[in-house]
Amino acid sequence: MIGDFFTDLALDAHNHLNPVDPDVEGAAVVAADSFSPEVEPHGLIHPPHNLCGTDPAVGLHDRTQVVCGVGTPDADAVHWHFQGPEEACAVVSQGSIIESLTGVPFDEAAATRWLEQQGWYDPATGTRPEDVTRLFQAYHVPTASGSTTVGGLWDALAAGDKVMVTLDANEIWHPVHDPATGAPLESLQPAGHAVWLTGIEQNSNGEWKVVLNDSGHQGGRAETVALADFVNAWDDYGNQAVFAGGHAAPLSPAETGART
Amino acid sequence: MSENRDRLVTAAASISVDRPAGVAGLVAGLHRDPVTARLPIEAVALPPVPDRQNGRLLISALLAVPTADRTRVHRPFGTVTWNPSDGSVVQLSEWGTELPETVTGAERTDTTWPLPESEDRMRTVCAALDELAAGRTPNLTELYRSALPSQAIAWYQALVPAAVPWLPDQQTWALPRHTDVGSALGGWIRDVAAIAAETNAPALGAQLEMLAEQRMRPGFRVAVVGEFNKGKSTLVNRLVGHEVVATGPVPTTALFVVVMAEDAASGSVRTAGDHEIAVPCAWLATIDTELVDTPGTNEAGEDRTPEVRRAVTLSDAVLLTVSATSPLSRSERELIAQEVLRRHVPFFAVVVGFLDQLPPEDRAAALSSVRSKVQQLAPETPVLTSPGPVGGEDELVAIRDLIADYAKKNEDRRWRTNKIASAVADIAEAVADVAGQAAVAAALHDAERTAAVERERAELARDAAMWDGLRVEFETRRRALVRRVSDSLSGDADVLVGALRHELLRAPDPKAYWEHDAPYRLRRELAALAHKYESLVLAGMTSDIEWLDTTLAERFDVVTPTTRPAARLAAPHTPLPEADMTDLSRRKMMTRIGAAGGTVAGYVLAGAVGLAMPPVALAMAGGLAAAILAERSLRNATEGQRQVVDQLLRQAVDAAIAEVTEQAALRIRSLYAEILDGMSARRAAWRRSRLAASAEPTRSATQHSALADRATALATTIRAAVADDCGTSREDS
């Protein structure tokens, strides 16, 4: 059953995840009996919402001032996990998203153990960009990865996809701004971090915020970050994003490198 | 929906991200560049080094992944090389877990390294590399001392040979090691002094000489105390291996004899009346310690207790010598009770001598008896055997080891070293400022220079007036603190009188009690009161020093290196105390102020009790009082007699409290003067140097600029090392 998925992976990955080679088209035909047929992420995704022009929702974070937005931050906040002292942000972000799609509780320890066994996760050598979707792939979650824009993020959320981005955590946790211009300043020693972007909103003051399920600290559930700080932090990582769910259009190469 | 998306896109497009330029931009863009974007998302570039290929200047950096707590990095997995002229990645090398063969030695085995956490250091290195790319010659070597862990130096030397000329010499390089601030301090002082001399800033050079003298003082002081002829001097002589102090039953005239290792004696400054002896003693030198031989508390028929207590309050550790042939005397018990139980010195031990004068079969029992009595008073106190004048090698080693252990544990020494290092960094920044001023002045026309000199003169005069005003206000605050101490002590006078009267009225021999017991009881009660009001003194001093910091910041429109917060001068690397702090945190805070040793509160109050002379106050009994005291017992005293006794006690207590208050006032004044004078003198030296630099720049603008850069780099290095050391200290604690 799905509930045993991560544990099973850790116990005997080969028995349960036999031919997985996500780099080979069609190879992600994981033995259907070990990956339960209940794995149907599309049907379990919370419907996308667009609050613009409707009553603001009252959720896990105070959105009483929200006048406009996209995404499902309140529903997604339920599936936030804290990664603890481990450098497992990509693992936890993927696992949380998978949990939201399937309803199966995420077991971080089992997942990281399994990924380590596969050579896709090692705290000493870090997580390669090509490995940040391994869990999605193993779990048959359709994904699109690449560089995109803030508009692209909006579109993916609006389409119902879950979005994971890589960014410099220093610049969202401890943002520094130019005292004269107010422009966000770039950190020279980035703290590379993968987070689940659950929404983009505008409040009654006209300020745009992004809502993140950030596994990196205890206050990361439905954390809101000023758009400027997010743009600064995300820009450091080439505006890379992963859209999970298969609703959004494939990322256009033309968008690569563009900010908006 | 579409309108909202468009508004978002418009908002995002209007955001201006301030990307750094130059080498900093290359480092910051590590994950943005298409070539390096495939690196692990956690990867960071360590501070980069210059590289050369085919005659081109390139920039190379080790790549590593930080540990989860981001205080360290895992061993590097690769290097990246940029071309700074066009910002392109020239080369990306990765070796994964297989180490490069060129890396050898201990650095190969270290699996994690300290992560240079300061973003400022990274920016400084990047800026220096930009200068290098622009054809200038920044002092990169000094910057790398603080910006790179030692392992990175070794790896860069092995992997980027072209960087070697800019890297610190690994053989002599020891700065980033936390414990080496002390050993590097002398070199820093010399380096800053050399730059000050080249900048023609002798006033700042004089400040450095004072710091050099402070540095030469041993970092740990052990007082050897005890009654007359109890083996103090013999013990001191045995410990240092030389007959340096007179022994035997001849009272010495000196109040204190300070014995230190020869190297530490040069440049020493001492209070008049103290004697110093420098001996060639490797043991003392190694543990950076001096011994203080004190007069016997009952030497030459006089009560030397006040002087001995002064020595105690100025010391870090105390060894009390007692004799196995006589029971613990009252003064010995008092000393243990007050100094150990009140914890005025961090380290205290008892050394038992004259065991050889007992029959061998009785020695163990005698030692056991002393140990039992000492430990009844203070259970944790170590009791050791004296080596005597000859032999006793095992006993000698045990005492030396104990002292060495005490010295090693002593936090004050570390704090003092860091304090001096911080002051050297302050002066290095002042020198940099003066050199910068000289560079500006060198480029001015005569008329412009004259105007600049006038401006500096005006600033100097303004400073002098400001300090005068500050001194008056600080003095007012000092008086207020003394008044609070006085009021508090006086408030307890009734309780004190009541306690003494209770004992006096029940004494079988009131006269004997008055003459023999009352002085000790009064001193003990005063010591208890002093302990009670330690936090009052500390809170008052903390408040005054914070006021000084705030006022300086408000009144000096320019923050200069010479107006560092006074709190840094008066406190170690722990926060200043709260009035209700625990004994432990108070113990940690109470440390040396300036040249004065001992604890702040112990120095101010308990030390003042030691100097107060209750026997003098008690000697006032005369006339009717003397007659009453001569009664065999006062149990059946009349009301009239009781009133006379009360009056007598009141006079004695008031006199003793007045004495303590006066002594405490003198000590607070001395401490406040030390804090204020030190700050004003350093600022005045900086101002005068600026004036001289404005009037007569001795070199070209370029040369002065280079001196300023060197001084700035040194200050950065020193501050980083001190910060690292303080970080280690916190981890240790």
Side-chain angles (χ1 to χ4, degrees):
Chain A
M1 290 298 290
I2 238 18
D4 299 322
F5 172 63
F6 294 114
T7 309
D8 291 344
L9 290 175
L11 287 174
D12 189 349
H14 288 291
N15 289 344
H16 295 267
L17 204 59
N18 195 10
V20 171
D21 183 357
D23 293 330
V24 179
E25 192 174 349
V29 187
V30 180
D33 54 349
S34 60
F35 270 161
S36 164
E38 294 162 27
V39 182
E40 290 180 318
H42 313 316
L44 294 175
I45 290 176
H46 297 281
H49 75 252
N50 178 11
L51 294 171
C52 302
T54 67
D55 291 337
V58 178
L60 289 168
H61 70 293
D62 181 10
R63 310 232 317 283
T64 53
Q65 300 301 313
V66 171
V67 295
C68 171
V70 68
T72 53
D74 293 340
D76 292 343
V78 175
H79 301 289
W80 170 85
H81 288 266
F82 175 48
Q83 71 192 54
E86 300 297 327
E87 284 280 13
C89 52
V91 180
V92 176
S93 290
Q94 290 178 82
S96 301
I97 289 173
I98 292 169
E99 181 182 290
S100 77
L101 297 176
T102 66
V104 175
F106 168 58
D107 182 342
E108 179 189 346
T112 51
R113 202 159 51 234
W114 178 75
L115 286 165
E116 273 189 276
Q117 286 171 353
Q118 307 307 309
W120 294 328
Y121 169 72
D122 181 346
T125 56
T127 309
R128 299 268 170 184
E130 65 263 29
D131 292 335
V132 298
T133 57
R134 296 292 185 190
L135 214 53
F136 284 142
Q137 291 165 354
Y139 213 52
H140 285 220
V141 176
T143 58
S145 303
S147 180
T148 185
T149 64
V150 171
L153 297 177
W154 174 287
D155 293 340
L157 289 170
D161 268 356
K162 303 296 175 188
V163 175
M164 185 170 73
V165 295
T166 46
L167 43 70
D168 177 0
N170 280 338
E171 293 173 8
I172 59 168
W173 293 345
H174 315 290
V176 180
H177 301 105
D178 185 314
T181 65
L185 296 178
E186 205 160 351
S187 160
L188 298 193
Q189 289 173 312
H193 192 39
V195 294
W196 175 10
L197 187 149
T198 58
I200 303 174
E201 311 173 329
Q202 188 180 34
N203 65 23
S204 54
N205 295 327
E207 297 163 336
W208 284 99
K209 307 268 186 185
V210 296
V211 189
L212 305 176
N213 266 358
D214 179 348
S215 63
H217 65 103
Q218 293 281 14
R221 187 194 298 272
E223 147 189 275
T224 56
V225 175
L227 179 65
D229 294 327
F230 171 78
V231 165
N232 186 33
W234 188 41
D235 179 71
D236 288 0
Y237 279 76
N239 305 111
Q240 291 292 317
V242 176
F243 299 157
H247 295 89
L251 288 166
S252 162
E255 296 211 276
T256 300
R259 178 169 297 147
T260 57
Chain B
M1 180 85 175
S2 172
E3 284 175 15
N4 296 321
R5 181 192 186 280
D6 292 346
R7 285 211 317 273
L8 169 69
V9 169
T10 304
S14 70
I15 293 168
S16 162
V17 175
D18 193 354
R19 285 187 185 175
V23 174
L26 302 179
V27 172
L30 181 70
H31 293 277
R32 209 165 27 224
D33 189 284
V35 177
T36 47
R38 62 185 179 85
L39 293 173
I41 60 174
E42 299 89 348
V44 295
L46 298 188
V49 295
D51 198 355
R52 282 192 190 279
Q53 284 177 22
N54 302 323
R56 286 185 307 171
L57 174 71
L58 304 175
I59 305 294
S60 287
L62 286 164
L63 298 169
V65 171
T67 56
D69 63 5
R70 298 193 64 81
T71 60
R72 302 179 71 80
V73 288
H74 295 284
R75 194 163 44 199
F77 63 86
T79 58
V80 59
T81 302
W82 293 283
N83 180 351
S85 62
D86 62 9
S88 62
V89 174
V90 176
Q91 191 174 355
L92 179 64
S93 306
E94 293 187 64
W95 51 79
T97 54
E98 297 293 325
L99 299 188
E101 290 181 359
T102 47
V103 176
T104 58
E107 290 74 17
R108 200 178 162 84
T109 59
D110 289 345
T111 53
T112 63
W113 303 349
L115 174 66
E117 61 188 48
S118 166
E119 177 112 353
D120 287 343
R121 281 185 226 168
M122 176 68 99
R123 286 188 193 281
T124 307
V125 168
C126 292
L129 288 169
D130 286 332
E131 281 190 44
L132 190 68
R136 291 188 286 273
T137 53
N139 189 347
L140 275 165
T141 309
E142 281 298 324
L143 294 177
Y144 286 133
R145 283 187 204 281
S146 59
L148 289 174
S150 60
Q151 297 92 336
I153 296 284
W155 279 56
Y156 272 135
Q157 285 177 336
L159 296 169
V160 190
V164 169
W166 285 282
L167 294 170
D169 180 0
Q170 191 72 358
Q171 297 300 317
T172 58
W173 180 67
L175 274 184
R177 299 289 183 193
H178 296 306
T179 51
D180 287 335
V181 171
S183 59
L185 186 52
W188 289 335
I189 293 175
R190 281 194 299 278
D191 290 348
V192 179
I195 302 172
E198 288 185 63
T199 310
N200 194 24
L204 292 171
Q207 292 285 317
L208 287 165
E209 284 176 18
M210 288 168 56
L211 292 174
E213 285 174 1
Q214 277 188 34
R215 175 182 161 267
M216 295 305 287
R217 300 303 314 176
F220 194 68
R221 182 184 297 163
V222 181
V224 182
V225 306
E227 293 186 335
F228 174 60
N229 204 22
K230 290 285 178 79
K232 296 183 301 299
S233 301
T234 301
L235 178 60
V236 169
N237 288 340
R238 288 303 309 276
L239 285 171
V240 300
H242 296 272
E243 292 289 325
V244 290
V245 288
T247 58
V250 180
T252 56
T253 52
L255 289 180
F256 306 108
V257 178
V258 180
V259 184
M260 64 182 71
E262 257 180 0
D263 287 345
S266 60
S268 63
V269 178
R270 276 286 164 177
T271 311
D274 291 355
H275 287 198
E276 285 184 343
I277 298 172
V279 293
C281 178
W283 170 69
L284 271 187
T286 303
I287 63 173
D288 189 24
T289 294
E290 65 187 10
L291 303 177
V292 184
D293 188 25
T294 63
T297 48
N298 53 349
E299 192 163 305
E302 294 180 26
D303 184 2
R304 291 281 183 83
T305 306
E307 289 88 345
V308 172
R309 283 178 197 286
R310 180 180 160 222
V312 166
T313 58
L314 294 174
S315 298
D316 303 299
V318 169
L319 297 184
L320 170 66
T321 60
V322 301
S323 170
T325 61
S326 57
L328 283 183
S329 70
R330 177 193 292 267
S331 71
E332 288 168 343
R333 291 199 305 272
E334 286 287 324
L335 199 110
I336 294 172
Q338 289 190 16
E339 302 313 326
V340 179
L341 299 183
R342 302 293 181 210
R343 289 177 294 174
H344 289 147
V345 288
F347 306 108
F348 186 91
V350 174
V351 179
V352 184
F354 301 100
L355 276 168
D356 56 341
Q357 294 186 8
L358 297 173
E361 63 273 21
D362 292 345
R363 291 176 189 171
L367 183 61
S368 172
S369 169
V370 174
R371 184 168 283 138
S372 165
K373 287 172 184 166
V374 169
Q375 292 181 343
Q376 276 175 9
L377 292 165
E380 303 296 326
T381 302
V383 178
L384 297 92
T385 309
S386 171
V390 292
E393 295 302 328
D394 289 346
E395 288 80 1
L396 183 61
V397 167
I399 297 173
R400 280 182 168 177
D401 285 351
L402 182 73
I403 294 173
D405 187 45
Y406 284 166
K408 190 177 168 188
K409 289 176 182 169
N410 181 40
E411 276 287 309
D412 291 354
R413 182 219 309 264
R414 187 175 193 170
W415 172 72
R416 191 187 69 149
T417 301
N418 283 335
K419 179 189 152 190
I420 295 173
S422 296
V424 173
D426 288 350
I427 295 177
E429 287 178 2
V431 170
D433 178 80
V434 170
Q437 178 71 11
V440 171
L444 295 177
H445 300 300
D446 286 350
E448 292 170 326
R449 190 178 301 162
T450 303
V453 168
E454 285 311 311
R455 278 198 301 275
E456 288 301 320
R457 282 216 173 91
E459 287 296 327
L460 190 60
R462 178 177 165 272
D463 261 25
M466 201 280 296
W467 282 109
D468 286 346
L470 202 63
R471 211 173 286 279
V472 170
E473 291 175 65
F474 208 44
E475 172 65 9
T476 304
R477 296 186 71 91
R478 183 193 69 81
R479 286 177 193 278
L481 174 59
V482 169
R483 195 161 50 247
R484 287 201 297 278
V485 171
S486 173
D487 291 347
S488 301
L489 288 172
S490 299
D492 283 319
D494 287 342
V495 178
L496 207 50
V497 169
L500 291 173
R501 179 179 55 202
H502 178 81
E503 292 180 8
L504 184 61
L505 294 178
R506 279 156 185 76
D509 184 346
K511 188 165 184 294
Y513 174 86
W514 186 255
E515 290 173 354
H516 302 295
D517 294 276
Y520 289 104
R521 290 287 295 116
L522 185 51
R523 181 179 289 143
R524 189 166 185 168
E525 292 300 330
L526 286 172
L529 285 182
H531 181 65
K532 179 179 172 184
Y533 293 119
E534 273 177 3
S535 55
L536 173 78
V537 171
L538 284 169
M541 293 182 70
T542 302
S543 164
D544 290 348
I545 289 170
E546 284 174 350
W547 171 86
L548 184 60
D549 286 343
T550 308
T551 308
L552 282 172
E554 286 172 356
R555 296 189 191 173
F556 284 122
D557 49 354
V558 179
V559 177
T560 72
T562 48
T563 53
R564 295 272 165 209
R568 287 201 209 163
L569 303 177
H573 38 69
T574 48
L576 285 166
E578 300 296 331
D580 59 348
M581 63 191 168
T582 63
D583 276 353
L584 180 63
S585 60
R586 180 167 48 209
R587 178 62 255 158
K588 284 184 175 176
M589 184 273 164
M590 288 190 293
T591 182
R592 292 174 182 228
I593 286 191
T599 62
V600 173
Y603 177 75
V604 170
L605 270 179
V609 170
L611 284 176
M613 304 293 281
V616 174
L618 294 167
M620 292 185 301
L624 179 59
I628 293 171
L629 289 174
E631 295 283 332
R632 280 304 299 165
S633 169
L634 291 178
R635 286 174 194 276
N636 301 315
T638 64
E639 187 53 36
Q641 285 176 318
R642 286 175 189 271
Q643 285 179 5
V644 172
V645 167
D646 273 4
Q647 195 178 5
L648 189 62
L649 285 167
R650 170 62 70 174
Q651 285 173 359
V653 167
D654 286 350
I657 287 178
E659 185 79 24
V660 171
T661 305
E662 187 178 337
Q663 292 295 335
L666 288 173
R667 283 159 184 248
I668 294 172
R669 173 183 291 179
S670 154
L671 290 174
Y672 278 30
E674 187 171 348
I675 291 169
L676 205 57
D677 289 349
M679 296 178 74
S680 62
R682 207 170 295 163
R683 185 170 168 98
W686 167 68
R687 276 284 178 213
R688 285 198 300 276
S689 299
R690 268 183 69 97
L691 177 59
S694 302
E696 289 181 60
T698 53
R699 294 162 191 273
S700 69
T702 308
Q703 288 170 321
H704 277 302
S705 290
L707 288 171
D709 289 346
R710 279 170 57 197
T712 301
L714 258 174
T716 305
T717 299
I718 298 169
R719 292 210 190 286
V722 170
D724 283 348
D725 194 59
C726 290
T728 310
S729 171
R730 281 191 293 275
E731 287 167 19
D732 292 348
S733 63

